[in-house]
Amino acid sequence: MRRIVYAGGSFLTTAEIAGTLMRLAVGVAVLGGTELVEVPVCGDADGTDTAQLVIGPGLPLLNLPVDWRGDEPDFTTENLMLQMRTSYPATGGNGDALPADSGAPWSADFDEW
């Protein structure tokens, strides 16, 4: 589990969602725009909910590890939906950048961190 700190507040989500959100934030920043995204979060008493954030240049996100007891919720579908956004950095199945003529919405010369 991970804690995302954003705009003076924070929320808990899975490591999978946190990683995708961070990568999406980089993609949006590279494009120079902002986007409203909805991400699944873990609430109190084993409940889940959603949070809406605006991501883009100058809007910092902090991704911190959290000691979590119990099972993590399954946000696989929500994670896939975030990855399907056009601003999500395009990569091939092995993590390599797609060729420039692949139809990627922005430069495929994105440097992974």
Side-chain angles (χ1 to χ4, degrees):
M1 295 297 289
R2 307 292 291 188
R3 178 175 304 281
I4 302 294
V5 180
Y6 174 82
S10 68
F11 58 87
L12 295 178
T13 192
T14 63
E16 181 181 48
I17 290 290
T20 296
L21 179 61
M22 299 303 280
R23 201 160 169 180
L24 179 59
V26 169
V28 171
V30 166
L31 291 172
T34 57
E35 287 190 29
L36 175 65
V37 297
E38 190 169 285
V39 295
V41 299
C42 302
D44 296 332
D46 297 327
T48 61
D49 206 345
T50 57
Q52 289 185 327
L53 335 151
V54 175
I55 58 174
L59 300 169
L61 293 171
L62 181 61
N63 181 355
L64 301 168
V66 172
D67 186 26
W68 181 263
R69 308 268 187 244
D71 296 331
E72 288 190 8
D74 181 9
F75 293 149
T76 304
T77 301
E78 293 88 343
N79 190 59
L80 181 60
M81 295 303 290
L82 286 170
Q83 291 176 357
M84 290 175 63
R85 297 179 76 101
T86 58
S87 52
Y88 189 77
T91 60
N94 61 2
D96 292 337
L98 292 173
D101 63 353
S102 67
W106 52 279
S107 172
D109 294 330
F110 173 74
D111 292 329
E112 297 215 347
W113 30 271

